[in-house]
Amino acid sequence: MRNWLLLVGVLQLSVAGFGCGDGSDGGGEGGAGGEAGDSGPTGSNSSGAGTPASSGAGAGTPASSGAGAGEPTGGPASTGSGDPVAGSSTSSGGETGACAGVEDECPFEAGVEIACRLRFMYGVNYAWRDFGADFGGQSKWSQAGISGKKSQVLADLQDMRAHGVDVVRWWIYPRFYGDQINFDGQGNPTGLGGTSTQDILAALELADQAQVNVMFTLFSFDGFYKTSHNPPNGLSVASMGPIVADAGRRAKLIENVVRPIARTVASSPHRDRMLAWDVINEPEWAMTGPSLYGDDPAFEGDSSKFDLVTHQQMEALAKESAAVLRGETGAPVSVGSAAIKWGQAWTRSDVDFYQVHMYGWVNDYFPYDKPLSEYGLTDKPVVMGEFPINMEAMDVRYDKFVGDLYNMGYAGALSWSITDLNFPWSSNKTTVKAFADQHPCETRY
C-alpha cells in the first residue's frame, strides 16, 4: 500500500466486483440498516435473514433489516486539490505500464492489482457502525460520525485486523437523511454536510492505525426509498431516485457530493489506505425494466417502496461517478451487484473490477462454484463483495467456500458483516483468520 505514495500521477488504471440494506421495510438480502430509523435509531445490530420474496431462476427481491447507535465530532475540513494522488491498476495478471519491472513477492494472478501488487482482496463488510451516521453524523438522534467515536471504531478495526482482515468495505451514504448532505430549495445536493469531511479523514486515519485498508461504498439502493417526512421525532429523508433519473440533477450529485468525497480522500495523509471504490451497493433493487446487456433477467424493484430508475439511468450514475473517483484518486472502481444473475449489468459501466454478492437464495439458482466463464465474466477481476460469514442457507463451510473462490480465480472475498447479528462476526471471526493465516502474503496489500 505504501507504494501508492511513490506513484503519484504515474500509474494508469487499466483492465488486466447483498445483502445489505436498510431497513425493516425491505432492505437487502443479508444486512442491516435503518428504514425503521426514519423515526429514530432502533439498535445497531438488527437485520433480516437474506431470503428472496419469490423463487425461481430469475427471482429474488430483498428481505428486511434494522439500524444504528452512536456519539460528538471534530477534525479538520480539508478538501484537497483534486489532483490524482495515487496510482493503481486492476489486472488479471502480467506486467503493464508503470508496473513493468517491479517485483511482486507473492502475486495472486487473478487478483486486483493495486500499487503493482496483485492480491486476493480479502476481508469483511463493516459496513457501518451506525447506519447512516458514520459519515456526517446524525444530530437529531445524538449519533456522532466517525470523528466523534474514534475509540470505538478503532477497537472494531483492530479486531478485524487481528482476525486476518485486510480490506474493510465501509458505507458512506446509504440514505440521504440527517446531516450528511446539504440540499437547496429544489432538493438538489449542494455539498457535504455535518461532519462528513472530518469523518472521512478520521476513517482513513483509524484504518492506518489499525493497519487495514478500506473500500468505500458511496451509496446504496436504500437511498431510493421514497421521500418521507416524519417530524417532530423523525427525519425528512430525500430519495435519490428523482436525482439519478434527471441528468442535470445527477450532475449536481456528482459535482457536489461524489467529487468532494474523492477530494477529501485525496487530501488525507493516509489516502493510501483507501484501496478501492464501490459506487453503489446493490443498485438492482432500485431499478425497473429490461437489462441493456446479455440475457440478464429484467429488473423488478418494488415501486411501492422505491423511486425506481432504469438500467440506463443507473449505469449513468456508475459511469459518471467512476470517472470522477478515478480521476481524483487513481483508485479502482466497482459496483456492488446484488447477484451474479445480473452479471452483465455493469460490464459497460467503466468499472475496473466486477463485484457480485452471494447468499443462499442466489446460490440455489446461480451457484457460486459455477465457473466465471459460464457467467460471461472473464475480462476483469471479480470480487465476491458479500456473502454470509456464517454461511447461512449456503450448505457449504466458510473455509471451503472461500477456498473455492480462491482456486476458481475470483479476485477476492469480503464476508457480511461486523454489525449484523444475523451473520455474527464474534462467533465466526476465527474462521476468517484461519484462511488469512493460510495465505498471509496473497491476502494482504
Side-chain angles (χ1 to χ4, degrees), residues 93-402:
E95 293 184 342
T96 59
C99 290
V102 177
E103 182 179 358
D104 184 349
E105 66 273 28
C106 58
F108 180 74
E109 293 301 327
V112 178
E113 185 177 89
I114 297 173
C116 302
R117 295 179 180 179
L118 276 165
R119 295 291 183 270
F120 185 77
M121 189 179 286
Y122 186 63
V124 71
N125 284 266
Y126 197 160
W128 54 79
R129 198 167 208 285
D130 298 307
F131 184 91
D134 282 359
F135 298 92
Q138 181 46 266
S139 59
K140 196 164 185 111
W141 296 339
S142 300
Q143 291 180 323
I146 300 301
S147 59
K149 52 191 177 193
K150 286 186 176 182
S151 60
Q152 300 96 315
V153 173
L154 179 59
D156 289 345
L157 297 177
Q158 289 173 330
D159 187 42
M160 296 179 215
R161 177 66 190 99
H163 290 89
V165 169
D166 183 54
V167 178
V168 178
R169 185 168 174 258
W170 201 342
W171 296 13
I172 295 183
Y173 295 140
R175 297 195 71 184
F176 285 180
Y177 60 25
D179 308 325
Q180 305 97 323
I181 298 175
N182 296 321
F183 292 90
D184 64 19
Q186 288 71 50
N188 297 311
T190 59
L192 306 187
T195 56
S196 290
T197 298
Q198 298 97 311
D199 295 332
I200 293 168
L201 295 173
L204 296 175
E205 174 191 354
L206 296 173
D208 191 65
Q209 290 179 29
Q211 296 292 289
V212 296
N213 301 305
V214 174
M215 178 195 294
F216 276 139
T217 300
L218 268 63
F219 310 119
S220 178
F221 75 88
D222 306 271
F224 290 75
Y225 273 103
K226 293 179 181 294
T227 295
S228 60
H229 302 283
N230 297 288
N233 298 320
L235 301 170
S236 292
V237 185
S239 171
M240 287 184 67
I243 297 173
V244 172
D246 183 280
R249 300 185 70 189
R250 189 173 63 243
K252 293 179 181 179
L253 176 68
I254 300 299
E255 289 303 314
N256 297 331
V257 176
V258 176
R259 193 177 299 279
I261 290 173
R263 287 184 172 178
T264 300
V265 168
S267 76
S268 169
H270 311 293
R271 56 190 175 269
D272 57 317
R273 288 292 171 189
M274 211 300 298
L275 196 76
W277 297 100
D278 176 358
V279 174
I280 182 168
N281 171 68
E282 303 192 352
E284 294 89 349
W285 303 129
M287 294 164 61
T288 186
S291 172
L292 296 175
Y293 312 120
D295 296 323
D296 287 356
F299 304 103
E300 299 178 342
D302 187 345
S303 61
S304 70
K305 299 176 181 177
F306 301 106
D307 286 322
L308 303 177
V309 298
T310 66
H311 189 184
Q312 183 177 24
Q313 291 164 340
M314 194 71 82
E315 182 184 61
L317 173 68
K319 281 185 176 181
E320 292 160 10
S321 297
V324 168
L325 295 171
R326 188 184 302 113
E328 296 286 356
T329 69
V333 182
S334 70
V335 169
S337 179
I340 204 166
K341 73 173 185 173
W342 290 302
Q344 298 302 304
W346 313 108
T347 55
R348 304 183 195 181
S349 298
D350 195 26
V351 296
D352 302 293
F353 63 95
Y354 302 130
Q355 183 194 149
V356 296
H357 299 172
M358 179 66 64
Y359 290 85
W361 71 268
V362 183
N363 193 51
D364 287 344
Y365 302 100
F366 304 87
Y368 83 91
D369 53 0
K370 183 177 178 179
L372 286 169
S373 59
E374 296 189 31
Y375 289 117
L377 297 176
T378 58
D379 61 317
K380 297 178 183 180
V382 182
V383 171
M384 187 67 75
E386 288 186 26
F387 63 94
I389 194 171
N390 59 355
M391 305 313 295
E392 178 181 323
M394 287 291 293
D395 195 29
V396 61
R397 300 186 317 274
Y398 180 99
D399 57 344
K400 175 170 171 51
F401 179 83
V402 178

Side-chain angles (χ1 to χ4, degrees), residues 119-122 164 166 406 435-436 439-445:
R119 295 291 183 270
F120 185 77
M121 189 179 286
Y122 186 63
D166 183 54
Y406 188 91
F435 182 83
H439 306 277
C441 185
E442 295 86 351
T443 58
R444 187 138 187 90
Y445 285 98

